[in-house]
């Protein structure tokens, strides 16, 4: 297995992803035909993905679901964390001074 780094060319990344998909399939002792049936795609699509050809996102999602690895997308694209500005808005700023207006006295006190 190779390594995908920031300077990897797109064809190299696709080839590496294809090799990894094939390894995942073989580790599960699945034939291309079996994975294709699980994923709801054709065998040619699996062959192309494993050979490092570009496939659509929907196809990749189907293949990963067929391999039982759909959760891998969580690591691939994690949900964005709130920005410091959003955190401050959610938390609210601590009050730093009282207003000039004097609140009316509670008649029950």
């Amino acid at each position: 297995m190779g390594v995908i780094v920031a300077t990897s060319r797109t064809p190299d990344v696709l080839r590496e992803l294809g090799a990894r998909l094939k390894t995942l399939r073989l580790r599960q002792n699945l034939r291309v035909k079996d994975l294709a049936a699980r994923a709801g795609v054709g065998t040619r699509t699996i062959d192309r993905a494993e050979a490092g050809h570009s496939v659509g996102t929907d196809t990749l999602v189907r293949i990963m679901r067929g391999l039982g690895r759909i959760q891998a997308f969580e690591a691939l694209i994690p949900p964005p964390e709130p920005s410091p500005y959003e955190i401050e808005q959610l938390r609210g700023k601590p009050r730093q001074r009282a207003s000039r207006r004097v609140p009316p006295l509670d008649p029950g006190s």
Side-chain angles (χ1 to χ4, degrees):
M1 287 283 145
V3 177
I4 299 172
V5 295
T7 56
S8 298
R9 294 178 30 241
T10 300
D12 298 331
V13 172
L14 291 173
R15 268 193 300 281
E16 180 60 28
L17 291 176
R20 292 179 188 188
L21 287 173
K22 185 173 185 174
T23 299
L24 287 171
R25 177 179 61 79
L26 292 174
R27 284 185 181 166
Q28 294 182 32
N29 198 30
L30 290 171
R31 297 178 300 174
V32 170
K33 178 180 169 181
D34 299 329
L35 177 55
R38 279 186 182 186
V41 298
T43 56
R44 177 115 171 88
T45 301
I46 302 294
D47 287 334
R48 288 181 49 74
E50 289 182 355
H53 294 281
S54 181
V55 295
T57 308
D58 61 327
T59 301
L60 183 58
V61 169
R62 288 172 179 249
I63 292 170
M64 292 298 284
R65 184 174 285 121
L67 289 167
R69 297 294 301 260
I70 195 73
Q71 75 280 1
F73 288 110
E74 273 298 316
L76 178 67
I77 306 172
E81 294 184 18
S83 70
Y85 177 74
E86 291 168 327
I87 292 171
E88 196 60 36
Q89 276 189 323
L90 291 173
R91 184 172 46 165
K93 293 183 180 177
R95 199 165 181 175
Q96 299 201 356
R97 61 178 65 102
S99 66
R100 290 184 175 193
R101 200 177 109 245
V102 178
L105 291 176
D106 184 13
S109 53

